[in-house]
Amino acid sequence: MNTILKKSDSFYDVYERRPGADKLTTTYCPGCGHGVLHKLIAEALDDFGVREKTIFISPVGCSVFAYYYFHTGNVQVAHGRAPAVATGIKRAHPHSVVISYQGDGDLAAIGTAEIMHAANRGEGITVFFVNNAIYGMTGGQMAPTTLIGQKTMTSPRGRTVNNEGFPICMSEIIATLKAPVFVERVMIGDTKSTMHARQTVRKALKLQIEKNAFTFIEVLAACPSNMKMTPSRSRQWVKEVLADYFPLGVKKDVSGEFERKDLSRMVVKNSELHDALNIETAKVDSEKIAPYREKIINEEIKIAGFGGQGVLSLGTVLSEMSMRHNYEVSWLPSYGPEMRGGTANCSVKISKKKIGSPLVANPTILIAMNRPSLDKFEHDVISGGLIIYDDSLIDRKPTRDDVDVIAIPATKIADELGNTKAANMIIVGALIEYKNLMSQEVVLESLGDVLKRKNLVELNQKAILRGAEFIKNLKK
Amino acid sequence: MVTSKSRGHVVIDTEECKGCELCVEACPSSVLYSSDEFNTHGYHPAAYKGEGCTGCGICFYTCPEPGAMTVYKRWDLMTDTAECPRCGGEYKVFHTDEKPEVLVCTNCLKPIQEKVIPIR
Ligand SMILES: Cc1ncc(C[n+]2csc(CCOP(=O)(O)OP(=O)(O)O)c2C)c(N)n1
Ligand code: SF4
Ligand code: SF4
């Protein structure tokens, strides 16, 4: 033990993030169990020298502001989602120490699915689960852990088994899963139990630091304010009543035989990716794509129509062809519950720069293949953008006057070619020609690799040419 | 005030204490009490009787506030009263075990040889 027991370095000296004049005290009520657990965690982070690589996930609940206090990396997440966010962070930063800190409303009610699956996957995180038998922050509503007979705001006559079921024992549930390495329920009740909790907190964090082990520590703690008890009385209640229903102790411990989990990231080589996606980049003649090498491209395209019009494959063809020009690409489909019919749309991003998110909220280009799609997305297009719509099916013109508009009777042209379904490729041809996005030659050559049905390649090549021709005639 | 019984020393930051009295109850030596004074938040902060602390640290782990309690476990390592360059007043300074050359002020809790920073 240290010679001086003082505020840990893993806490900020001054809580600058805390609004208002008082930047020295926490937001917790006098005697709240959260503060003690915070201190035990912070002390361990100090002692293990991991403060700088710790990422603390604060939940929704009274500990929502843990990021005011912990001088670590911090993320505050949506109610119950801490284990999911912790999963992502730990995987992206395998060398960090990730703490998912949650209350019982957070973990055992709204976030039940997240904790179950994170535990089941055995993510290399440490979960601290504060069970105070109540929703603290919102003023004392019943939690899944509220005891039978316990009166709360939402169980004013006391919780009954018939109406609300039994208090849920999360530690016992988590311990039944295969992946968790160490599961224990401790309490902050009296000195002895708190000092034991201290050891448990340290063991759990150590297991993450040394072995990337998933550990789950349930901490029975007092919420004097909502128990309407003095701090002293509330700790006694935790010890005598809460711990009577929720038995303390180790529920699972396989830390001895558990071998360090390897979290090094799987790095996929470009060539492996190309093999998996069946893209033969080598086949693309670099001479032919040379003119596009310096081209600055940053298109966000929304393609919409009804199911069966080939809206999604219009997007995939554009994406595949863009990859062949070494652009960065994303493709994101969105469709209704129907297998056929209904509406469908997809978002395609084509860029010279790496793409962060595949979502397209404000397209630079809208391709509308039916009326509802034009109605729905017309006003999302950025000013100066482009709307391409099939005027053989859409009986109105776009109302926007600050965008370019191309009306192309794609379906009618496709019919002339002998297959209505080629309408989407007519639009591909038109778009490429109008925007000079890529080499038509490369597109035509590669179509055979991209389309699944090889007997349609010729028809689709013709369709692309007809689309391009339509634009050339327009330009004349 | 310093007696041979005082093997430790406890400092309470009265502004950080919320008066929950858990430490008063937990101290095995019964050397803490609830002050009659109010702090600016309107709480009666805990106070140290001035002698008899054993440095056990129980109050530190009982207290929910990160910065309210500081326990010095080796009173015998304290020097005589000195002036702290940070907080200005006359305070006991304390040699830490790990770094004997570092003196720590029991009032502002900072090593006194380092660059002076404003007191909170
Ligand atoms: C999605 C969502 N639903 C509901 C709420 C309201 N809410 C805020 S805190 C809370 C309960 C937190 O209780 P618990 O997890 O037990 O933490 P404690 O406050 O007791 O520490 C709820 C329901 C919210 N913020 N977000
Ligand atoms: S309401 Fe309860 S859980 Fe929330 S800070 Fe107060 S004592 Fe702690
Ligand atoms: S360190 Fe121990 S003896 Fe000293 S005041 Fe705290 S609880 Fe009492």
Side-chain angles (χ1 to χ4, degrees):
Chain A
M1 254 196 225
N2 302 325
T3 321
I4 308 177
L5 297 175
K6 61 171 185 350
K7 188 178 189 179
S8 301
D9 292 339
S10 295
F11 288 121
Y12 288 110
D13 245 5
V14 179
Y15 308 137
E16 295 290 357
R17 291 185 177 133
R18 186 174 174 181
D22 177 10
K23 301 202 185 291
L24 290 181
T25 68
T26 63
T27 43
Y28 300 117
C29 310
C32 173
H34 279 300
V36 175
L37 180 59
H38 281 22
K39 280 170 83 171
L40 299 180
I41 295 170
E43 185 195 31
L45 298 179
D46 275 16
D47 292 351
F48 299 152
V50 294
R51 177 185 74 76
E52 297 218 341
K53 58 173 185 171
T54 296
I55 300 168
F56 192 100
I57 323 256
S58 336
V60 164
C62 282
S63 43
V64 64
F65 299 127
Y67 63 91
Y68 290 176
Y69 318 124
F70 279 95
H71 191 0
T72 57
N74 286 283
V75 182
Q76 194 283 315
V77 299
H79 212 3
R81 274 46 171 174
V85 176
T87 297
I89 291 179
K90 183 72 181 186
R91 288 185 178 204
H93 299 287
H95 302 297
S96 58
V97 175
V98 180
I99 295 172
S100 180
Y101 188 105
Q102 304 180 258
D104 43 9
D106 191 81
L107 182 140
I110 193 168
T112 327
E114 279 73 15
I115 186 59
M116 287 302 291
H117 292 286
N120 193 50
R121 294 187 304 265
E123 297 296 338
I125 61 172
T126 309
V127 179
F128 292 111
F129 166 45
V130 177
N131 176 353
N132 54 15
I134 202 117
Y135 284 15
M137 181 184 226
T138 39
Q141 293 81 2
M142 197 195 83
T145 45
T146 294
L147 298 180
I148 299 300
Q150 190 182 329
K151 289 184 178 161
T152 69
M153 291 267 286
T154 46
S155 58
R157 281 163 296 178
R159 179 177 185 160
T160 63
V161 171
N162 272 349
N163 211 38
E164 292 96 4
F166 290 96
I168 194 164
C169 294
M170 286 310 297
S171 288
E172 282 76 1
I173 294 173
I174 299 294
T176 62
L177 300 172
K178 285 231 159 53
V181 173
F182 176 50
V183 181
E184 183 175 351
R185 183 183 289 117
V186 296
M187 71 170 171
I188 292 164
D190 51 15
T191 302
K192 198 168 156 221
S193 61
T194 305
M195 295 318 279
H196 179 75
R198 178 176 178 272
Q199 292 305 332
T200 303
V201 165
R202 296 168 86 85
K203 174 168 175 171
L205 286 169
K206 206 141 213 166
L207 279 169
Q208 179 179 173
I209 295 164
E210 287 172 0
K211 297 189 174 185
N212 290 321
F214 177 90
T215 56
F216 182 94
I217 309 304
E218 177 170 343
V219 182
L220 304 184
C223 170
S225 300
N226 285 307
M227 303 313 306
K228 300 184 177 59
M229 293 174 184
T230 62
S232 163
R233 178 77 196 89
S234 70
R235 281 207 189 174
Q236 216 176 327
W237 182 85
V238 167
K239 198 174 140 186
E240 288 164 9
V241 183
L242 199 57
D244 186 52
Y245 182 86
F246 294 105
L248 302 180
V250 175
K251 308 295 165 184
K252 181 177 182 191
D253 186 359
V254 293
S255 57
E257 61 260 39
F258 182 76
E259 297 208 356
R260 185 185 161 81
K261 191 170 172 180
D262 181 16
L263 296 182
S264 48
R265 277 159 89 182
M266 196 176 71
V267 180
V268 183
K269 286 197 211 91
N270 259 356
S271 57
E272 290 172 323
L273 206 58
H274 290 167
D275 284 351
L277 295 173
N278 202 16
I279 307 168
E280 294 176 53
T281 33
K283 262 176 85 179
V284 177
D285 185 343
S286 57
E287 287 287 307
K288 289 180 188 160
I289 61 169
Y292 299 91
R293 200 162 293 148
E294 300 306 321
K295 206 171 156 71
I296 296 165
I297 284 207
N298 199 359
E299 298 293 358
E300 306 202 353
I301 311 173
K302 181 73 91 184
I303 305 156
F306 54 78
Q309 272 188 311
V311 162
L312 302 188
S313 60
L314 198 167
T316 47
V317 167
L318 273 181
S319 308
E320 291 269 0
M321 297 309 174
S322 301
M323 282 194 257
R324 283 165 173 76
H325 288 73
N326 291 331
Y327 298 141
E328 300 284 336
V329 183
S330 71
W331 173 83
L332 185 74
S334 158
Y335 30 82
E338 310 88 344
M339 285 297 283
R340 291 279 177 273
T343 55
N345 75 69
C346 69
S347 300
V348 172
K349 285 192 179 181
I350 306 175
S351 178
K352 271 279 166 192
K353 293 203 203 118
K354 282 225 153 72
I355 295 167
S357 155
L359 297 175
V360 171
N362 296 103
T364 59
I365 301 172
L366 169 66
I367 297 173
M369 302 202 42
N370 67 356
R371 168 88 192 247
S373 302
L374 184 64
D375 294 346
K376 187 167 176 197
F377 295 114
E378 176 180 353
H379 296 284
D380 295 339
V381 178
I382 63 159
S383 182
L386 169 67
I387 296 177
I388 302 181
Y389 73 103
D390 186 340
D391 68 346
S392 44
L393 298 183
I394 300 175
D395 55 2
R396 75 164 177 93
K397 289 191 169 84
T399 54
R400 297 273 299 267
D401 56 8
D402 60 338
V403 296
D404 284 348
V405 173
I406 299 175
I408 176 167
T411 306
K412 211 168 127 230
I413 301 173
D415 259 355
E416 287 164 23
L417 284 175
N419 192 333
T420 319
K421 291 202 162 168
N424 57 354
M425 291 305 125
I426 288 169
I427 291 180
V428 169
L431 176 65
I432 291 172
E433 177 66 27
Y434 187 79
K435 281 280 190 178
N436 189 23
L437 281 177
M438 45 189 102
S439 147
Q440 193 193 69
E441 221 181 322
V442 171
V443 171
L444 292 175
E445 282 170 11
S446 315
L447 208 55
D449 304 331
V450 171
L451 296 179
K452 285 198 196 93
R453 297 189 35 199
K454 305 298 171 203
N455 57 331
L456 293 178
V457 174
E458 211 185 308
L459 169 77
N460 283 304
Q461 283 168 335
K462 273 191 203 149
I464 287 173
L465 285 169
R466 285 292 295 272
E469 204 180 295
F470 180 86
I471 296 295
K472 278 182 195 142
N473 289 335
L474 268 190
K475 282 182 177 170
K476 267 182 205 163
Chain B
M1 292 259 266
V2 187
T3 68
S4 54
K5 279 190 289 173
S6 305
R7 281 179 285 129
H9 185 64
V10 57
V11 177
I12 297 153
D13 186 320
T14 50
E15 281 307 303
E16 291 188 44
C17 176
K18 290 174 177 165
C20 73
E21 299 187 5
L22 287 167
C23 60
V24 174
E25 187 181 285
C27 174
S29 311
S30 306
V31 295
L32 299 174
Y33 65 101
S34 186
S35 166
D36 285 339
E37 312 276 310
F38 285 109
N39 67 13
T40 55
H41 306 291
Y43 294 123
H44 289 293
Y48 176 39
K49 286 179 182 166
E51 64 178 335
C53 172
T54 60
C56 68
I58 285 173
C59 54
F60 177 83
Y61 290 108
T62 301
C63 174
E65 266 316 292
M69 285 271 167
T70 306
V71 175
Y72 296 83
K73 299 177 79 73
R74 296 291 302 278
W75 180 253
D76 56 316
L77 288 175
M78 283 202 176
T79 66
D80 291 333
T81 306
E83 187 180 330
C84 172
R86 263 176 233 281
C87 50
E90 286 207 335
Y91 292 103
K92 290 278 180 190
V93 285
F94 172 81
H95 284 281
T96 65
D97 247 2
E98 297 83 356
K99 287 188 188 166
E101 75 281 7
V102 177
L103 300 174
V104 178
C105 172
T106 55
N107 187 60
C108 65
L109 314 178
K110 306 286 181 193
I112 63 171
Q113 272 120 338
E114 282 177 18
K115 144 169 134 320
V116 177
I117 55 160
I119 313 154
R120 305 183 277 187

